[in-house]
Amino acid sequence: MNTVVERQPSAAEDVKARSAYAALRRIAAQRRIFATAYGRARTPGARAAAALTAVRAAIPAMTSIRTTLSPEVDRRLDRIADDLADLFVELHDAQEVAAHKAVRAKERQVERAQARAAQRQAAAPTAGGAR
């Protein structure tokens, strides 16, 4: 007669299982959030922000469940991080150029307005005396 003896899971196994189930729930929630945000995004910047937010949320989760990443995933993360750092610099450079351009345009506008005001003041005494 074969009897199957069920053994009680140890406390450590129980904790690991609960942790794994929690990870699965978190992953499902993160995927739903990402799909919604990415689907609603209308511009490349908004799509990038949705993707970056999703990746940012997923990275800490990898360490919480002791996930061992493959060397290929590690290399991709490193390459992506480098690309993002380069993109950060490029975006700031473009923003800086645009801001300087706007400041110069405003300065020229103020200079023109001051020149017109000076011309009006110079012309006002002669026009006022002719009345």
Side-chain angles (χ1 to χ4, degrees):
M1 171 180 200
N2 269 343
T3 14
V4 177
V5 177
E6 290 185 19
R7 67 179 181 89
Q8 294 294 331
S10 70
E13 289 173 339
D14 216 23
V15 168
K16 286 181 185 178
R18 281 197 311 269
S19 177
Y21 282 121
L24 291 173
R25 286 190 302 273
R26 184 182 61 248
I27 290 165
Q30 287 175 349
R31 284 182 176 161
R32 281 192 306 274
I33 292 166
F34 167 71
T36 300
Y38 195 84
R40 288 182 179 166
R42 297 291 175 235
T43 64
R47 285 189 293 276
L52 290 170
T53 300
V55 169
R56 185 173 182 261
I59 288 174
M62 292 186 308
T63 58
S64 67
I65 57 173
R66 296 178 184 89
T67 304
T68 304
L69 296 177
S70 70
E72 178 57 28
V73 172
D74 269 342
R75 281 191 296 276
R76 284 189 68 204
L77 277 174
D78 198 32
R79 192 169 49 245
I80 290 168
D82 288 343
D83 288 346
L84 288 174
D86 292 343
L87 180 60
F88 172 77
V89 171
E90 289 176 31
L91 289 171
H92 273 189
D93 288 347
Q95 291 171 357
E96 206 170 30
V97 166
H100 284 304
K101 186 176 178 180
V103 167
R104 283 193 306 274
K106 185 62 178 176
E107 288 171 347
R108 285 192 301 269
Q109 180 184 14
V110 168
E111 289 170 2
R112 285 192 302 271
Q114 289 172 344
R116 284 192 300 272
Q119 285 176 344
R120 281 193 299 272
Q121 282 180 345
T126 59
R131 285 188 188 173

